[in-house]
Amino acid sequence: AQSVTQLGSHVSVSEGALVLLRCNYSSSVPPYLFWYVQYPNQGLQLLLKYTTGATLVKGINGFEAEFKKSETSFHLTKPSAHMSDAAEYFCAVTNAGGTSYGKLTFGQGTILTVHP
Amino acid sequence: KAGVTQTPRYLIKTRGQQVTLSCSPISGHRSVSWYQQTPGQGLQFLFEYFSETQRNKGNFPGRFSGRQFSNSRSEMNVSTLELGDSALYLCASSPGLAAETQYFGPGTRLLVL
């Protein structure tokens, strides 16, 4: 079974400050990892994904994440927060095995608040 | 390409009724997955369909069912609604190979009274 833990249900930063959202996963097989963002009353939008290869993944809107196998982590960062980054962020895991067809396992989400 | 569309966007039902939600995937995508999102349980996988066949299923009671049509559009049905079924129901589409990116629709918000 796979699982995802997002440390911190709420993170608050000032505009222009570093954003760090933490995600740890558990998987017995090589994971495929995703970060999604959800704005109020909307669906989920993909920020970035890790499949194989380069462990530092760059996404949209200046976000990036680094896959660290030894730490089973996939933390999301952005050097400088913008007011428009305020939203809920979800880390998700799946794998290439047949039992995972179409199934993402999500963390509980982190609400990011950005103060002026 | 047009994104994933879901209808209706909002729905109010009473306990004991049944409901059908619809999802149209991105053109060319053959896989549709359904998720339930609630404040208490978060995002939970319901089931996935590919080429009109259910390939995967989450841990939900049999009251939750789905189907997929030959044009890849999908429906999910919840029978004998309970108050706890109030949630945002999200569908996502992908081309269909394992571990491919899923693209989400805006969701259907269901309120059960």
Side-chain angles (χ1 to χ4, degrees):
Chain A
Q2 296 180 308
S3 66
V4 174
T5 301
Q6 291 183 237
L7 297 175
S9 58
H10 290 82
V11 170
S12 181
V13 300
S14 298
E15 192 172 20
L18 171 71
V19 175
L20 170 60
L21 305 182
R22 299 177 188 274
C23 171
N24 287 88
Y25 69 91
S26 172
S27 178
S28 58
V29 296
Y32 289 69
L33 295 157
F34 303 80
W35 275 101
Y36 284 89
V37 61
Q38 186 177 34
Y39 298 98
N41 299 315
Q42 294 187 25
L44 277 66
Q45 179 183 5
L46 178 72
L47 282 175
L48 49 79
K49 65 177 179 180
Y50 168 80
T51 53
T52 58
T55 56
L56 183 61
V57 181
K58 294 187 184 300
I60 63 171
N61 302 337
F63 285 94
E64 62 181 36
E66 186 170 11
F67 171 65
K68 291 187 177 181
K69 184 178 178 180
S70 61
E71 300 177 7
T72 61
S73 70
F74 190 58
H75 302 330
L76 182 70
T77 61
K78 181 174 181 178
S80 177
H82 192 273
M83 297 294 290
S84 61
D85 294 328
E88 189 163 15
Y89 292 79
F90 292 92
C91 181
V93 65
T94 188
N95 63 64
T99 58
S100 290
Y101 278 126
K103 178 181 179 180
L104 291 171
T105 300
F106 287 90
Q108 286 297 312
T110 298
I111 295 173
L112 175 66
T113 303
V114 182
H115 296 286
Chain B
K1 282 185 179 180
V4 178
T5 58
Q6 293 186 245
T7 56
R9 290 294 310 277
Y10 303 92
L11 209 48
I12 300 176
K13 292 285 186 179
T14 56
R15 279 182 299 174
Q17 287 187 310
Q18 74 166 13
V19 67
T20 299
L21 311 181
S22 181
C23 173
S24 292
I26 291 170
S27 178
H29 285 189
R30 298 168 65 189
S31 168
V32 174
S33 299
W34 288 89
Y35 295 86
Q36 182 195 65
Q37 185 177 22
T38 60
Q41 299 298 316
L43 281 153
Q44 294 188 289
F45 172 74
L46 282 156
F47 32 64
E48 184 255 7
Y49 285 86
F50 177 80
S51 292
E52 302 180 66
T53 301
Q54 186 183 84
R55 281 196 307 191
N56 205 352
K57 188 177 187 304
N59 296 322
F60 278 81
R63 300 185 297 108
F64 292 82
S65 63
R67 59 178 176 169
Q68 187 180 36
F69 302 95
S70 59
N71 63 356
S72 294
R73 188 177 69 86
S74 177
E75 291 181 345
M76 68 163 282
N77 183 276
V78 188
S79 62
T80 319
L81 284 166
E82 301 177 359
L83 296 179
D85 296 333
S86 295
L88 180 67
Y89 290 88
L90 293 162
C91 81
S93 76
S94 76
L97 296 179
E100 285 188 298
T101 300
Q102 293 184 24
Y103 297 89
F104 284 79
T108 294
R109 186 164 296 281
L110 172 64
L111 177 61
V112 182
L113 302 176

